Amino acid sequence: MPLVTSVTEPTITVMPPAEAYDFDYFSARVDPELLSASIAIRVFRIPLLAVPTGATRRGGWFGVDNLAIALAVRDVLAPFSGFPDLRITWHDAPRSAYAVEWGDRPPATWSDDDERLAFYGRTWPDHSRAPSSAVSGCSPAAS
């Protein structure tokens, strides 16, 4: 007897940015206008932030565990402004996972963490430099 499996589409919910689990994390690190244009995306139970490009932010990414979810997140982001050139990539670090990327393509390697942070629009409110390890370029769900 053949094995019958049911394939269901992942449920993705778009929510206001302030509902994202990681909203406070990003609110201290990105331009306030970008933060207000962000989208909370709930995959399963936890909404996480997708921050658009603009101002000094050249690109972004949202990590997911499988290709079906990556395709669903890409489709959800497509109609929103600030998410140009949506594509699905494979990230090996900080852990192996699919990612939905948008904006400029990041370089294969970074000269230092400050270059990486600047690409992802890291801001320092008092114009002092925070430790480079203080922020990632994406939602913590991708790590």
Side-chain angles (χ1 to χ4, degrees), residues 31-101:
D31 180 272
E33 287 183 35
L34 289 178
L35 191 65
S36 66
S38 296
I39 301 162
I41 298 176
R42 186 175 71 202
V43 179
F44 304 116
R45 295 181 183 194
I46 300 174
L48 297 167
L49 208 58
V51 181
T53 59
T56 62
R57 186 173 169 92
R58 296 177 45 209
W61 60 286
F62 191 96
V64 297
D65 289 332
N66 67 56
L67 184 56
I69 295 171
L71 291 166
V73 168
R74 182 199 61 190
D75 292 347
V76 162
L77 289 174
F80 292 95
S81 64
F83 298 93
D85 191 24
L86 286 163
R87 58 202 175 270
I88 296 171
T89 60
W90 180 256
H91 283 207
D92 288 326
R95 69 178 178 87
S96 296
Y98 287 98
V100 179
E101 289 184 343

Side-chain angles (χ1 to χ4, degrees), residues 28-31 113-118 121-132 134-135:
R29 292 168 173 81
V30 298
D31 180 272
D113 273 351
D114 287 340
E115 179 187 25
R116 178 179 58 83
L117 296 172
R122 172 63 160 106
T123 61
W124 288 269
D126 63 358
H127 302 291
S128 66
R129 303 300 283 192
S132 294
V135 64

